[in-house]
Amino acid sequence: MTGCKRVAAIQDISGLGRCSLTVVIPVLSAMGIQVCPVPTAVLSAHTGYSEFVMRDLTDFMKPALNHYKKMNTEFDCVYSGFLASSEQIDHCLEFFAAYPNALKVVDPVMGDDGKAYATYTKELCSRMSELVAVADIITPNLTEAAILLGEEYPAGAMTNSEAKSWLVKLSKQGAKIVVITSVQLADGGMHTIGYDKENNSFWKIKNNYVPAHYSGTGDMFASVLIGSVLKGDSLPIAMNRATAFTELNVRTTYSYQRHWTEGLMLEGQLPWLISYQELGDYTNL
């Protein structure tokens, strides 16, 4: 082992409910990648719980960046996720600007099931486009893709041409790679779809349906995708690896009938990532 990649993960950390940093750190660590957390907020439990205590850490972000620059710390990737305020957009932009050679990944966490999260104001959703504009990779779900595009959330299934159109429109906002999760396609089933602008290639992976929804699935998917890309995988292989591991955890958690707020039972599944299995279940969109 000659060394490992280093990721600055700009995310919140929640004590209860596996999501954000409590998913990002173990997943990327299992893939042999060092995670340097830059917490945006500390919560006793994630926002899906009926009650939680939250401390905004906006005033920590700039001093942390200044310290890293003073120490000449290098990052191979800067990865932003849940943000607690619109001011944190500015600090994320500063992180991206400070590391121009790093892979810039934005998981534009804003909502799900056609609605924005309660903590995401119109201003914060609007300003997310500023991060998307400087990103190399973005990983919205379908709700977040609709918000970024100013489109209505699809009432039904999308055709392949409609899905491609959304991917291309999002890429025109800045990102070289766009991956959208939770897309119902007209040819049947839920899919993850992706677009590589440099190669003008479109990809889709069909998701095996499980009648459950859990917190942290987007964080898990994006983290495995990032880890896979950093290790040199192509986009479809990275998408496939992220989908397969997320589905493994969804099925495991569903089998134990855990409440959705607890998140995915990833602890026992991490060896799957360490084994780094070869994959090939993907097709052109």
Side-chain angles (χ1 to χ4, degrees):
M1 186 172 182
T2 57
C4 62
K5 303 287 187 179
R6 179 185 288 158
V7 175
I10 308 173
Q11 310 256 354
D12 72 289
I13 185 164
S14 297
L16 282 178
R18 303 170 182 88
C19 65
S20 301
L21 284 173
T22 56
V23 169
V24 174
I25 293 172
V27 164
L28 284 173
S29 296
M31 298 181 78
I33 294 167
Q34 179 187 2
V35 181
C36 297
V38 182
T40 58
V42 176
L43 297 88
S44 58
H46 66 66
T47 57
Y49 282 82
S50 59
E51 294 182 3
F52 57 89
V53 177
M54 175 176 169
R55 294 290 180 268
D56 187 307
L57 295 180
T58 302
D59 60 359
F60 168 79
M61 298 173 70
K62 188 175 184 65
L65 174 58
N66 290 340
H67 178 247
Y68 292 144
K69 292 195 295 186
K70 181 180 178 181
M71 296 288 289
N72 295 316
T73 304
E74 293 296 330
F75 293 106
D76 298 286
C77 172
V78 178
Y79 165 27
S80 70
F82 176 87
L83 302 177
S85 67
S86 60
E87 185 181 347
Q88 291 186 352
I89 297 283
D90 297 317
H91 297 313
C92 287
L93 290 169
E94 290 173 350
F95 261 92
F96 287 138
Y99 296 98
N101 297 322
L103 181 70
K104 301 169 185 65
V105 182
V106 173
D107 184 7
V109 181
M110 293 184 288
D112 204 356
D113 296 324
K115 298 180 292 183
Y117 295 132
T119 58
Y120 267 67
T121 63
K122 288 185 177 181
E123 179 188 10
L124 186 51
C125 288
S126 176
R127 293 204 63 200
M128 188 62 71
S129 62
E130 297 176 43
L131 290 184
V132 168
V134 300
D136 296 310
I137 300 175
I138 61 171
T139 59
N141 60 31
L142 190 60
T143 298
E144 293 151 354
I147 293 172
L148 288 170
L149 291 173
E151 299 274 5
E152 290 293 324
Y153 182 76
M158 302 180 79
T159 65
N160 281 14
S161 61
E162 289 171 335
K164 286 182 176 180
S165 175
W166 276 39
L167 288 166
V168 171
K169 287 178 182 177
L170 284 170
S171 74
K172 288 180 178 178
Q173 295 185 5
K176 299 173 185 174
I177 291 175
V178 179
V179 177
I180 307 177
T181 59
S182 305
V183 180
Q184 185 77 31
L185 292 179
D187 61 2
M190 193 70 71
H191 290 73
T192 297
I193 60 175
Y195 176 53
D196 181 341
K197 181 162 57 178
E198 291 186 344
N199 295 312
N200 194 34
S201 58
F202 297 86
W203 303 95
K204 66 178 180 179
I205 298 174
K206 189 171 184 178
N207 308 136
N208 294 313
Y209 177 71
V210 177
H213 173 80
Y214 300 100
S215 66
T217 53
D219 303 314
M220 178 175 290
F221 177 90
S223 297
V224 177
L225 182 85
I226 291 166
S228 196
V229 169
L230 287 173
K231 292 172 78 69
D233 287 336
S234 65
L235 175 59
I237 290 178
M239 289 170 57
N240 191 190
R241 197 178 302 284
T243 300
F245 185 68
T246 302
E247 285 188 356
L248 171 64
N249 281 274
V250 169
R251 288 183 174 280
T252 299
T253 307
Y254 179 68
S255 74
Y256 285 95
Q257 293 292 284
R258 309 308 300 174
H259 193 270
W260 74 270
T261 54
E262 294 184 32
L264 298 169
M265 299 172 65
L266 78 163
E267 294 82 4
Q269 317 315 316
L270 293 174
W272 189 95
L273 288 175
I274 297 170
S275 67
Y276 214 69
Q277 302 177 34
E278 290 298 321
L279 300 164
D281 185 19
Y282 43 82
T283 57
N284 289 114
L285 175 62

